């Protein structure tokens, strides 16, 4: 499983990745400052993905974004609000702030285990109801079985359904990282999945659903960012990266920000190319910025 790694002239070696991460962790300590915390705050996809979510709850959740600037005018709004697809219309009807995306998970999230026409229909409904960004899950059942043509077919179809919208493909990198006999093979699988998703039109590659362990890991993030860099160098197209799942502290956010900056440069850190997915992270970043506990979101 090295066809795309070879095509993009990538070197993915587990030992070298781990050594590089040691340097990045040291750099992240120096990156823990107000500027980068603000950047991280503005990259957050403010997320509610609970079985108990109701339209009434999502209205209140969305209204917090409407009220944020009155309370904290010095800080950026989240990049988007992320909900289940049947609640996209609730966010659209409630959201008043411009520039905040409406994200929905789709295509039978989080497992991607269903019929392709069901995935297509759910995604089409989400777009019709106002979603501006769609997060889908790589079909592991095809990818891990080596059915790469079917994997490509699914992503390509959903890319067509979401034409004009932002498409994020979730690799569930933890499952890939640990699902092979060696770490080296797991990292190669993450790289192949990353490049495949990018070739089929993903605007972002995303680590995890947050619904299984392990979720995001720094080693997976570094491999994915290396793929983004290789893809950009070969095609001239800059695409985005989103760590999600287990990003639970301000220090985590700055570490992932540093991985992106180290690999892709500071220009990669705008919300157009960098997102963070977490339901509780916003308050923690605000607490770090304010130096006192904040429970706004």
């Amino acid at each position: 499983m090295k066809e795309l790694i070879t095509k993009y002239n990538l070197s993915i070696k587990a030992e070298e990745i781990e050594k590089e991460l040691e340097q990045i962790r040291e750099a992240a300590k120096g990156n823990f400052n107000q500027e980068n915390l603000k950047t991280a705050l503005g990259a957050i996809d403010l997320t509610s993905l609970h079985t108990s979510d109701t339209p009434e709850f999502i209205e209140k959740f969305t209204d917090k974004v409407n009220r944020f600037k009155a309370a904290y005018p010095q800080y950026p709004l989240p990049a988007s609000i992320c909900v289940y697809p049947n609640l996209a219309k609730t966010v659209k009807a409630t959201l008043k702030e411009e520039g905040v995306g409406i994200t929905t998970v789709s295509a039978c999230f989080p497992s991607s285990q269903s019929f392709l026409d069901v995935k297509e229909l759910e995604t089409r409904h989400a777009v019709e109801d106002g979603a501006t960004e769609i997060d889908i899950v790589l079909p592991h059942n095809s990818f891990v079985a080596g059915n790469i043509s079917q994997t490509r077919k699914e992503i390509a179809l959903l890319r067509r359904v979401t034409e004009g919208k932002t498409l994020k493909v979730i690799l569930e990198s933890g499952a890939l990282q640990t699902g092979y006999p060696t770490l080296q093979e797991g990292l190669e699988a993450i790289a192949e999945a990353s490049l495949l998703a990018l070739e089929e039109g993903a605007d972002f590659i995303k680590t995890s659903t947050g619904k299984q362990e392990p979720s995001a890991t720094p080693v997976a993030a570094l491999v994915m960012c290396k793929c983004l860099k290789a893809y950009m160098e070969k095609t001239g197209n800059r695409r985005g990266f989103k760590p999600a799942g287990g990003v639970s502290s301000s220090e985590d956010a700055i570490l992932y920000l540093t991985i992106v900056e180290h690999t892709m440069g500071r220009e990669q850190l705008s919300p157009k190319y960098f997102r963070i997915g977490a339901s509780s992270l916003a308050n923690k970043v605000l607490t770090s910025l304010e130096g006192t506990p904040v429970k706004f979101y």
Side-chain angles (χ1 to χ4, degrees):
M1 190 185 287
K2 296 184 181 181
E3 178 183 344
L4 294 177
I5 292 173
T6 301
K7 176 180 177 179
Y8 287 87
N9 196 30
L10 263 174
S11 175
I12 302 296
K13 296 180 180 179
E15 289 184 4
E16 293 179 1
I17 294 290
E18 294 284 4
K19 288 180 181 178
E20 193 170 350
L21 270 175
E22 291 178 12
Q23 300 172 356
I24 293 171
R25 290 182 192 279
E26 282 300 310
K29 296 176 184 177
N31 267 349
F32 197 91
N33 55 47
Q34 291 274 308
E35 179 185 2
N36 285 326
L37 286 166
K38 288 180 182 179
T39 298
L41 185 65
I44 290 174
D45 287 338
L46 196 67
T47 302
S48 185
L49 296 173
H50 306 294
T51 304
S52 58
D53 284 348
T54 63
E56 292 76 18
F57 176 83
I58 296 301
E59 284 177 8
K60 294 176 181 177
F61 185 70
T62 303
D63 197 50
K64 292 177 181 179
V65 176
N66 293 334
R67 296 186 284 107
F68 181 78
K69 278 297 185 183
Y72 297 101
Q74 70 274 38
Y75 300 138
L77 292 162
S80 81
I81 298 171
C82 180
V83 296
Y84 281 113
N86 55 310
L87 292 164
K89 58 186 175 183
T90 302
V91 178
K92 182 179 181 180
T94 309
L95 184 62
K96 297 175 183 176
E97 288 286 357
E98 295 184 1
V100 178
I102 301 173
T103 298
T104 72
V105 294
S106 188
C108 302
F109 173 96
S111 69
S112 191
Q113 289 277 17
S114 191
F115 306 101
L116 183 52
D117 58 350
V118 173
K119 298 180 185 182
E120 178 186 6
L121 182 61
E122 182 182 51
T123 303
R124 195 175 298 280
H125 277 314
V127 171
E128 290 171 352
D129 280 356
T132 60
E133 305 185 9
I134 299 288
D135 291 15
I136 66 169
V137 181
L138 178 84
H140 274 237
N141 54 352
S142 298
F143 181 81
V144 173
N147 191 345
I148 302 305
S149 61
Q150 180 64 28
T151 307
R152 286 185 178 276
K153 176 184 175 181
E154 290 205 18
I155 297 173
L157 173 62
L158 296 172
R159 172 71 284 179
R160 291 193 294 273
V161 172
T162 58
E163 184 178 359
K165 311 299 180 184
T166 297
L167 178 66
K168 308 188 195 88
V169 177
I170 306 167
L171 304 186
E172 202 65 282
S173 57
L176 294 176
Q177 183 176 326
T178 60
Y180 292 82
T182 66
L183 175 61
Q184 178 65 35
E185 291 172 277
L187 298 187
E188 289 172 357
I190 291 171
E192 288 287 316
S194 296
L195 293 166
L196 183 157
L198 292 169
E199 286 195 340
E200 295 305 327
D203 296 301
F204 277 77
I205 49 175
K206 175 178 170 181
T207 58
S208 318
T209 62
K211 300 298 185 182
Q212 72 174 64
E213 295 294 336
S215 290
T217 63
V219 67
L222 182 53
V223 169
M224 291 168 70
C225 286
K226 285 181 176 294
C227 291
L228 284 163
K229 182 179 181 181
Y231 182 82
M232 183 177 69
E233 289 176 345
K234 190 172 185 67
T235 68
N237 296 319
R238 186 182 291 272
R239 302 285 175 80
F241 172 66
K242 179 179 176 179
V247 187
S248 58
S249 69
S250 297
E251 289 77 11
D252 288 340
I254 296 302
L255 174 58
Y256 285 108
L257 178 151
T258 304
I259 290 170
V260 171
E261 181 182 30
H262 168 85
T263 312
M264 300 285 289
R266 190 132 192 117
E267 57 269 35
Q268 186 76 17
L269 295 179
S270 78
K272 185 176 181 181
Y273 300 114
F274 176 54
R275 299 291 180 85
I276 307 174
S279 55
S280 61
L281 184 63
N283 284 334
K284 294 179 180 178
V285 175
L286 282 168
T287 293
S288 296
L289 284 164
E290 289 288 286
T292 188
V294 176
K295 294 184 179 179
F296 183 87
Y297 287 115

